[in-house]
Amino acid sequence: MIGTGYVGLVSGACFADMGNSVYCVDKDKDKIKSLDNCDIPFYEPGLSELVTKNFHSGRLKFTTDIKSAIRKSDIIFICVGTPTVKNSNSANLNYVYKVATEISKNINKFKIIITKSTVPVTTGDKIEKIISKKSNKKMFEVASNPEFLREGEAIRDFRFPDRIVIGSNKKSVINKIRSLYDPLIKKGAKFFSTNRRGAELIKYAANAFLATKISYINEIANLCEKTDVNIEDVSIAIGMDQRIGSRFLRAGPAYGGSCFPKDTRALTVTGDLFNTNLSIIKSVIKSNEKRKDILTKKIKRILSNKIKNKKISILGVTFKPNTDDMRESSILKMIPYLVKLGAIIKYYDPSGKKTDISNYKNVYYCDDVNEACYKSDLIIIHTEWEEFKTLDFKKLVKKKNFKIYDLRNLYSPKLMKKKGLNYFSIGRV
Ligand SMILES: NC(=O)c1ccc[n+]([C@@H]2O[C@H](COP(=O)([O-])OP(=O)(O)OC[C@H]3O[C@@H](n4cnc5c(N)ncnc54)[C@H](O)[C@@H]3O)[C@@H](O)[C@H]2O)c1
């Protein structure tokens, strides 16, 4: 596994647990040093135990020596990041191509090279070209095996995937990769194979569709707020239609994280490159950006446009629960705006303090919910961590006339009203 981030480490540990001998390579020396002590560099439930077990069994090894790892391996997964290029919408493929160049210099026997990183359609063709510059074409095959795991549920998702997608133009390569996944397929995982470009595009099409579902229900929630309709009724009832499906229909903040924002952007670039206007995805991206403004302006309205010196508590700052990932979390837009207007912000997140926001003036990290909510004017529930689901707000705040803005609809508006609480949520009145 080249690239030992969320995808490389989780997949590497799971493949090792299935009996394979795995080298997890990373250029980040500190990361490899901590992993050699079984310290996991990010928050992912269950990963520490899995890594420790397989590290001690000798099946899982960590290294910065990419050359030696390439030489010793039969199958190489490229798992490096593909973030958005600065000031552009394109996926940055420099990390992927650098690994391809490294592989081209170290091919000593036949290898299957698989992109697990999310890469735009035709990237596999370019990887093949890079490697063929230095190696005989008979010495390698490039395939695609996009990863669909979700942070926070990564191990379960890897072991019980909805489907395993393999893309290669050669049946023998598909069979070889399929055999690696046999233990999962035997337990019921669906397996789907296609050509290499097909697999590359499937990953983007899946992420863009899910992003569309989120933006769609968020816009319907805006309409619910104006028409006195409960968004949850709408989500439940439309979700009962099997053509629609009930998942990803929970209204809330803009989608964020390390995948949907960058992948929707990159897909529109690919569309333009091939003269195909992906207008739906372009408007989803716009809608998602607008969502951040809509919710931030609502915060202002809740506080009657008087933000200066108001104490605002934020519960949860990550883009979703059970991860410490802050990438493109909508809070990253909200906090600077509120700070600029003079708010004093206390935040708590079960995954710990975040450097991305703690550097702002008047933004303070608290060690628990009690400290974060004490004497607050407004509590914003931003991420639906379990521990935010049954709070006694009056006991926590110890002050009159505070307000709650629940961006995840964790509480019932009726019950909150009964308790005399000033409660606002999404798509419900
Ligand atoms: N995070 C997710 O939930 C998720 C899910 C599915 C797919 N993906 C895709 O998988 C890919 C990896 O995502 P991630 O979240 O694991 O990224 P990450 O940023 O957590 O990890 C990437 C790792 O690659 C390492 N790296 C970069 N260049 C390297 C090189 N030349 N040699 C060795 N190591 C190198 C980095 O140091 C880093 O540790 C991306 O394309 C992403 O879109 C991510």
Side-chain angles (χ1 to χ4, degrees):
M1 318 301 298
I2 306 185
T4 307
Y6 286 91
V7 166
L9 183 57
V10 171
S11 314
C14 289
F15 278 134
D17 206 48
M18 282 150 64
N20 301 287
S21 173
V22 179
Y23 292 92
C24 276
V25 185
D26 208 283
K27 62 178 185 179
D28 182 336
K29 285 185 189 140
D30 292 337
K31 198 178 247 187
I32 293 300
K33 208 170 153 192
S34 347
L35 284 165
D36 266 332
N37 291 317
C38 290
D39 282 340
I40 310 298
F42 50 83
Y43 182 97
E44 182 60 47
L47 189 56
S48 174
E49 295 80 349
L50 195 70
V51 165
T52 307
K53 175 185 159 202
N54 286 285
F55 178 76
H56 289 303
S57 77
R59 285 191 299 268
L60 182 62
K61 298 180 189 77
F62 300 106
T63 180
T64 52
D65 185 352
I66 188 167
K67 288 187 181 110
S68 150
I70 291 170
R71 291 176 155 266
K72 284 178 190 154
S73 302
D74 303 304
I75 297 178
I76 299 169
F77 283 93
I78 302 178
C79 306
V80 296
T82 48
T84 304
V85 174
K86 216 175 170 194
N87 300 324
S88 135
N89 285 328
S90 311
N92 181 351
L93 296 172
N94 287 344
Y95 304 105
V96 171
Y97 294 148
K98 219 171 163 194
V99 172
T101 307
E102 214 43 73
I103 294 172
S104 76
K105 291 192 238 161
N106 290 288
I107 292 201
N108 54 337
K109 55 178 173 175
F110 180 78
K111 298 187 193 287
I112 297 179
I113 297 137
I114 306 168
T115 46
K116 217 176 221 324
S117 297
T118 303
V119 293
V121 57
T122 69
T123 302
D125 305 4
K126 286 169 200 139
I127 295 174
E128 195 173 283
K129 255 194 191 156
I130 293 173
I131 303 178
S132 351
K133 273 189 197 158
K134 299 240 165 172
S135 315
N136 184 328
K137 269 195 171 170
K138 286 190 184 143
M139 291 291 278
F140 71 94
E141 276 296 334
V142 178
S144 165
N145 169 217
E147 184 49 63
F148 297 96
L149 60 76
R150 295 162 298 170
E151 288 172 19
E153 319 258 354
I155 295 171
R156 203 198 68 89
D157 281 352
F158 189 92
R159 287 178 168 164
F160 304 99
D162 285 340
R163 76 300 207 190
I164 296 157
V165 174
I166 310 281
S168 168
N169 304 339
K170 276 206 180 141
K171 187 105 186 103
S172 58
V173 174
I174 291 175
N175 288 341
K176 182 96 195 191
I177 304 172
R178 189 196 154 109
S179 67
L180 197 61
Y181 282 104
D182 253 355
L184 305 183
I185 296 166
K186 279 190 184 131
K187 277 194 284 171
K190 285 188 197 133
F191 175 83
F192 184 81
S193 66
T194 176
N195 61 15
R196 188 171 65 207
R197 288 186 177 188
E200 289 171 338
L201 189 52
I202 283 166
K203 173 67 189 178
Y204 279 96
N207 274 2
F209 190 80
L210 294 172
T212 304
K213 256 186 138 177
I214 295 173
S215 293
Y216 174 79
I217 206 67
N218 281 344
E219 286 198 357
I220 298 293
N222 293 341
L223 186 59
C224 285
E225 285 179 19
K226 304 257 167 72
T227 52
D228 201 4
V229 173
N230 183 340
I231 185 63
E232 281 159 356
D233 292 349
V234 177
S235 296
I236 291 169
I238 66 171
M240 285 171 179
D241 184 330
Q242 286 184 19
R243 293 169 303 175
I244 296 172
S246 58
R247 293 170 74 190
F248 272 70
L249 286 180
R250 285 190 58 205
Y255 61 76
S258 66
C259 292
F260 291 175
K262 81 170 173 64
D263 293 346
T264 44
R265 287 193 289 262
L267 185 54
T268 64
V269 173
T270 308
D272 290 346
L273 199 67
F274 289 93
N275 280 326
T276 306
N277 183 13
L278 299 175
S279 63
I280 294 175
I281 302 162
K282 285 178 184 168
S283 73
V284 165
I285 295 168
K286 266 193 205 149
S287 168
N288 197 55
E289 278 311 304
K290 182 101 184 106
R291 182 93 191 133
K292 296 175 194 169
D293 290 342
I294 291 173
L295 299 192
T296 312
K297 284 193 183 127
K298 171 103 185 240
I299 296 172
K300 224 173 134 189
R301 279 206 306 281
I302 290 173
L303 288 173
S304 313
N305 289 328
K306 289 177 195 132
I307 305 260
K308 199 166 168 53
N309 294 327
K310 284 283 182 316
K311 292 190 188 85
I312 300 180
S313 313
I314 297 175
L315 301 185
V317 290
T318 52
F319 80 99
K320 66 172 185 177
N322 298 324
T323 180
D324 56 0
D325 202 335
M326 287 294 289
R327 288 180 275 188
E328 308 223 22
S329 170
S330 55
I331 212 72
L332 294 172
K333 266 251 169 128
M334 285 178 184
I335 287 182
Y337 178 88
L338 297 171
V339 165
K340 211 169 159 196
L341 293 177
I344 299 156
I345 292 179
K346 293 196 287 178
Y347 75 97
Y348 164 67
D349 191 282
S351 71
K353 189 175 172 175
K354 305 285 174 266
T355 44
D356 315 56
I357 49 179
S358 286
N359 294 335
Y360 284 107
K361 194 180 159 213
N362 288 334
V363 175
Y364 306 97
Y365 179 69
C366 301
D367 286 326
D368 55 36
V369 182
N370 286 284
E371 195 189 332
C373 295
Y374 183 66
K375 302 278 183 204
S376 186
D377 295 301
L378 171 67
I379 296 168
I380 298 173
I381 305 173
H382 174 266
T383 318
E384 70 271 42
W385 287 90
E386 269 315 300
E387 65 179 278
F388 302 152
K389 290 183 177 169
T390 50
L391 299 175
D392 185 339
F393 292 99
K394 280 189 179 165
K395 252 190 183 170
L396 288 170
V397 180
K398 296 189 173 65
K399 169 182 178 240
K400 278 188 179 159
N401 295 328
F402 68 91
K403 292 167 176 162
I404 302 163
Y405 188 19
D406 178 1
L407 304 185
R408 300 289 179 173
N409 288 352
L410 298 184
Y411 293 85
S412 144
K414 254 190 201 161
L415 281 177
M416 297 301 260
K417 199 171 173 192
K418 237 185 187 174
K419 287 183 182 173
L421 291 165
N422 219 330
Y423 175 79
F424 302 83
S425 58
I426 301 283
R428 310 183 300 181
V429 269

